[in-house]
Amino acid sequence: GFQDVPSNAYYADAVSWALEENITNGTTATTFSPDDTVTREEAVTFLWRAMGEPAAAENPFSNVSDSEYYAGAASWAHEKGLVSGTTFDAGAPCTRSMVAEYLWKLEGSPATGGNPFTDVAADASYAQAVAWAAEQGITGGTTPTTFSPASTCTRGQIVTILFRALAE
């Protein structure tokens, strides 16, 4: 019962699932903050928790201390090929295309049909991921013809996407 999660909100069931599965908590005891922007550190942490908090190899990031709450998640995401490099931009906003790409890569980067969105270039690094997520019903567009790949993902959106992709 969060004050800011109406029972008829599109994300209400997803919030309940995320809490039950220990993927995330509220931002306070009475609020979930569904419209707050998700950062990259939060996104990989939510996904890592949803996958059971698997152990990862050594921390590959020069700018992530092992004491950071997201260190294990970021290392795991790197090991799985979801993120790359030797630095992790933890506080940067997570975009809609990033979430689709993380999930698509976890599924083994399956081939997909055509991309239905006019704002996703065929040669974009995330084009196949977005097409896959739409085909799977994990997420749709922001309109029937646009995906808004660079738009930031909110807490309500990300738990809904994870719920659709991972809840059994």
Side-chain angles (χ1 to χ4, degrees), residues 83-158:
V83 298
S84 60
T86 58
T87 59
F88 183 67
D89 196 4
C94 183
T95 64
R96 290 172 45 81
S97 61
M98 283 179 192
V99 174
E101 197 166 10
Y102 293 162
L103 291 167
W104 176 70
K105 287 179 177 179
L106 277 177
E107 281 296 312
S109 306
T112 61
N115 186 352
F117 303 112
T118 58
D119 61 347
V120 177
D123 63 349
S125 63
Y126 51 80
Q128 287 289 303
V130 169
W132 170 81
E135 284 176 6
Q136 299 300 310
I138 293 168
T139 187
T142 52
T143 74
T145 59
T146 59
F147 184 74
S148 304
S151 292
T152 56
C153 200
T154 66
R155 287 173 53 85
Q157 289 170 339
I158 196 164

Side-chain angles (χ1 to χ4, degrees), residues 25-125:
N25 296 311
T27 52
T28 72
T30 59
T31 58
F32 183 75
S33 303
D35 297 323
D36 282 4
T37 297
V38 173
T39 62
R40 290 184 70 200
E41 70 193 64
E42 292 169 322
V44 298
T45 300
F46 292 173
L47 188 53
W48 176 67
R49 288 176 181 161
M51 302 306 291
E53 298 184 26
E58 195 172 311
N59 179 350
F61 301 110
S62 62
N63 66 333
V64 176
S65 166
D66 287 338
S67 64
E68 296 289 347
Y69 80 90
Y70 60 87
S75 297
W76 169 82
H78 187 276
E79 185 176 286
K80 291 294 184 185
L82 310 185
V83 298
S84 60
T86 58
T87 59
F88 183 67
D89 196 4
C94 183
T95 64
R96 290 172 45 81
S97 61
M98 283 179 192
V99 174
E101 197 166 10
Y102 293 162
L103 291 167
W104 176 70
K105 287 179 177 179
L106 277 177
E107 281 296 312
S109 306
T112 61
N115 186 352
F117 303 112
T118 58
D119 61 347
V120 177
D123 63 349
S125 63

Side-chain angles (χ1 to χ4, degrees), residues 5-13:
V5 180
S7 61
N8 64 346
Y10 76 88
Y11 47 80
D13 289 342

